[in-house]
Amino acid sequence: MSTSGTGALAFLRKENIVAPDGYNRWRVPPASIAIHLCIGSVYAWSVFNTPLTRDLGVVASSANDWSLSSVVWIFSVAIVCLGLAAAFAGKWLEKVGPRFVGVVAAFLWGGGFIVGSIGISTHQLWLLYLGYGVLGGFGLGLGYVSPVSTLIRWFPDRRGMATGLAIMGFGGGAMIGAPLISALLETFQRAPEYLGAENMVALVTEEGRRFAETAAGKVEVVIASANQAASFGGEAGVYVVGTCVFC
């Protein structure tokens, strides 16, 4: 990726983003706050915890589902990577400018979600750590310093206010992120294949796993209570593991 003044991405470099005379500096804070609202959604990570522990069983945790203790650390990894990126990005930001750093942050943050989603769909926990935790975390750090640096330069006479605006956006990200994520999960979640009430299905237990005897053979299942099934608009009973589709 070229960073030279004449390279393909030269329009992102700081020498090519000089504002014209008379530019209204109050147009900068809304953009900076918007960036921080996006990356601040990391603080809504807890919304993902329960669904991730039911990745395969969906209505209830199956034997192969991740434990809560194995997924909560993803948030910690993201925050550590945020700090590392923010700490070491300052010199690079001074060289290439905030726009270049912001674009890289967007690709890392968005790409981290994509890699993490692949980890969920393939049930590979390390991909979730790599995507959301590491790549997303570095994107968070770069996305954090870019708006703060820009605001301080535009408001040298109100540095405290400028920093406060950016931090307000970052801290408020969860206020928007949490309900939005919850709404998306509720909208697109689908219940697994339903086999029937527990007393109507032939069940066997092998090595801690529940299986149902069907015409096609044994299939792994979970048993959902009425409360668990109600959140999916289903009925209490037996559901086939791994047959849920998120579309």
Side-chain angles (χ1 to χ4, degrees):
M1 190 161 54
S2 174
T3 60
S4 66
T6 58
L9 299 180
F11 69 97
L12 296 176
R13 288 179 59 85
K14 64 178 182 181
E15 59 265 25
N16 296 322
I17 58 173
V18 179
D21 293 337
Y23 186 83
N24 185 354
R25 67 177 182 173
W26 289 101
R27 295 171 60 183
V28 179
S32 299
I33 293 172
I35 292 173
H36 271 206
L37 284 173
C38 291
I39 62 176
S41 64
V42 68
Y43 287 117
W45 170 259
S46 59
V47 177
F48 291 117
N49 283 334
T50 298
L52 286 175
T53 61
R54 299 175 178 178
D55 181 35
L56 299 176
V58 183
V59 291
S61 297
S62 68
N64 284 339
D65 269 318
W66 299 316
S67 65
L68 181 61
S69 61
S70 67
V71 298
V72 295
W73 286 100
I74 298 172
F75 171 79
S76 299
V77 171
I79 296 302
V80 168
C81 290
L82 180 158
L84 291 174
F88 292 100
K91 186 176 181 180
W92 184 50
L93 187 147
E94 292 294 329
K95 179 181 179 181
V96 300
R99 182 179 291 181
F100 196 100
V101 174
V103 169
V104 173
F107 276 102
L108 286 173
W109 179 232
F113 270 94
I114 293 173
V115 173
S117 68
I118 295 173
I120 294 173
S121 63
T122 60
H123 204 63
Q124 298 292 321
L125 186 59
W126 70 274
L127 278 176
L128 192 50
Y129 271 90
L130 173 64
Y132 193 96
V134 178
L135 297 179
F138 286 140
L140 287 171
L142 297 180
Y144 184 90
V145 297
S146 179
V148 172
S149 172
T150 303
L151 278 174
I152 290 176
R153 281 169 170 75
W154 276 102
F155 294 89
D157 55 326
R158 302 182 180 182
R159 298 170 66 89
M161 181 207 71
T163 304
L165 286 174
I167 295 175
M168 176 190 70
F170 190 69
M175 295 177 62
I176 297 176
L180 178 60
I181 292 168
S182 296
L184 289 172
L185 287 173
E186 291 176 5
T187 300
F188 294 105
Q189 66 186 359
R190 297 290 183 272
E193 180 184 347
Y194 179 65
L195 295 182
E198 184 177 359
N199 59 356
M200 300 297 293
V201 179
L203 299 172
V204 294
T205 302
E206 297 180 2
E207 298 180 354
R209 300 185 184 185
R210 301 300 298 273
F211 293 90
E213 298 281 2
T214 68
K218 288 192 301 185
V219 293
E220 186 175 358
V221 298
V222 292
I223 300 174
S225 65
N227 288 337
Q228 290 172 325
S231 62
F232 293 85
E235 303 177 51
V238 182
Y239 290 84
V240 181
V241 170
T243 57
C244 174
V245 177
F246 290 84
C247 52

